[in-house]
Amino acid sequence: MSDKRESQQTILVVEDDVLVRMPIAQYLRDCGYKVIEASNADEAIQVLLHQETPVDVVFSDIDMPGAVDGFELAKWIREHRPGLDVLLAGTVPRAVESAENLCERGPVPKPYEAQVVHNHIRRLLAARNATKKP
Amino acid sequence: MAAARREPSPRCERKVRDTVLVVEDEVLVRMVVADELRKAGYTVIEASSAHEALDLLRNGVDVRVIFSDVRMPGPMDGVGLGRVVRSEFPMIKIVLTSGNLTPLDWAEHHGFFQKPYDAAKIIKHVKRLLD
């Protein structure tokens, strides 16, 4: 049991709408990921600053209330946690180009299908694991 | 919302377990207690405020026990949440926690834990409430 948990990949889901966050988080848990939920970017940053909490992928909404939205969070991550994969989801069409610079695959359109997010995350993790191999 | 309506693929099957709703505005505290409850075998749903908790309940999320902090920012604290839950969802048990208050004899609840709490004691208490 402990071996299984240690090998689990961790996804940090950042979404201010609990009715969106809950099902996507539950779905990803059912798929075998450890999922940490943050209801805004400030919470996400608190989690990322917590050294004892490893995170493999950040999956964040773009539009969130407060001083830091998804783009700002992605910028913060690039500065403070370079190498950490970020997946953005949002409805801001004009932001797609910027998003492509921030994410490997670009944002996932909302409303998103859980399976699409799962596939994105699997590809990100597979790509990352492939680059780690000698 | 699409995720809520979509059936998980066969490799992502959901096991049916009792659901505990953790309501806590401190993300690191919420993360730890939610993780411990999941390790104990419960399905755990997380809310960062009383408003989020009510949003989930009023949208039909099936919960057996709520474990809520008392002091939270926003118009409703854990005691207020307990009052609404008792009126709208009388079957749900509510357990409260706080670092600042002594046991809330004046509030209606199914248990109170002073912070910092031992997660093992919370799990034991939840188990007793659900037996």
Side-chain angles (χ1 to χ4, degrees):
Chain A
M1 180 69 186
S2 63
D3 285 351
K4 186 181 172 241
R5 291 192 72 86
E6 279 163 22
S7 65
Q8 257 184 335
Q9 302 275 11
T10 301
I11 315 289
L12 173 59
V13 173
V14 193
E15 167 64 61
D16 62 298
D17 184 344
V18 70
L19 296 175
V20 175
R21 188 178 74 237
M22 186 274 285
I24 201 78
Q26 292 298 103
Y27 182 88
L28 291 171
R29 284 187 190 106
D30 288 346
C31 294
Y33 296 107
K34 179 177 165 65
V35 177
I36 298 171
E37 295 183 42
S39 64
N40 55 47
D42 286 340
E43 283 196 353
I45 289 169
Q46 275 189 62
V47 171
L48 293 170
L49 287 173
H50 192 244
Q51 301 293 329
E52 295 83 24
T53 306
V55 173
D56 297 289
V57 173
V58 176
F59 173 61
S60 176
D61 186 18
I62 291 172
D63 275 323
M64 288 185 290
V68 183
D69 65 7
F71 287 129
E72 291 296 322
L73 175 63
K75 269 189 211 161
W76 185 93
I77 290 168
R78 264 205 309 196
E79 282 169 25
H80 296 88
R81 293 283 300 268
L84 180 59
D85 293 316
V86 180
L87 187 60
L88 293 178
T91 53
V92 191
R94 62 187 165 81
V96 169
E97 201 177 316
S98 319
E100 281 173 350
N101 294 328
L102 294 167
C103 301
E104 284 85 340
R105 311 275 173 181
V108 178
K110 280 174 90 174
Y112 43 73
E113 297 283 345
Q115 188 64 51
V116 172
V117 176
H118 182 214
N119 289 341
H120 267 260
I121 288 169
R122 270 173 49 198
R123 279 203 297 272
L124 284 175
L125 292 172
R128 211 176 65 144
N129 290 340
T131 57
K132 274 182 188 168
K133 285 172 189 163
Chain B
M1 287 307 289
R5 288 191 294 271
R6 191 186 170 91
E7 288 296 316
S9 65
R11 64 180 295 275
C12 299
E13 278 175 29
R14 170 76 55 84
K15 296 181 185 83
V16 179
R17 301 167 177 149
D18 287 325
T19 299
V20 179
L21 170 58
V22 173
V23 192
E24 168 65 61
D25 61 304
E26 289 289 333
V27 63
L28 296 176
V29 176
R30 187 173 74 236
M31 178 183 79
V32 170
V33 72
D35 198 37
E36 291 296 327
L37 283 161
R38 283 188 192 105
K39 281 185 205 166
Y42 296 103
T43 293
V44 180
I45 291 171
E46 302 179 33
S48 65
S49 65
H51 173 80
E52 279 197 354
L54 288 177
D55 230 6
L56 289 165
L57 296 173
R58 287 171 178 163
N59 277 279
V61 175
D62 189 23
V63 170
R64 298 281 311 276
V65 175
I66 295 173
F67 179 62
S68 177
D69 190 16
V70 171
R71 288 201 175 183
M72 291 183 289
M76 190 181 286
D77 65 3
V79 174
L81 173 66
R83 208 173 290 128
V84 175
V85 167
R86 188 174 162 76
S87 147
E88 292 185 28
F89 310 95
M91 298 301 285
I92 301 176
K93 307 264 196 289
I94 182 144
V95 179
L96 297 173
T97 181
S98 177
N100 304 75
L101 301 167
T102 48
L104 298 161
D105 294 335
W106 44 274
E108 293 179 36
H109 56 76
H110 300 91
F112 175 86
F113 289 85
Q114 184 96 34
K115 282 184 182 176
Y117 47 72
D118 177 1
K121 286 184 181 163
I122 308 289
I123 290 162
K124 206 171 158 186
H125 188 71
V126 167
K127 198 175 172 193
R128 205 179 309 130
L129 286 175
L130 291 175
D131 277 345

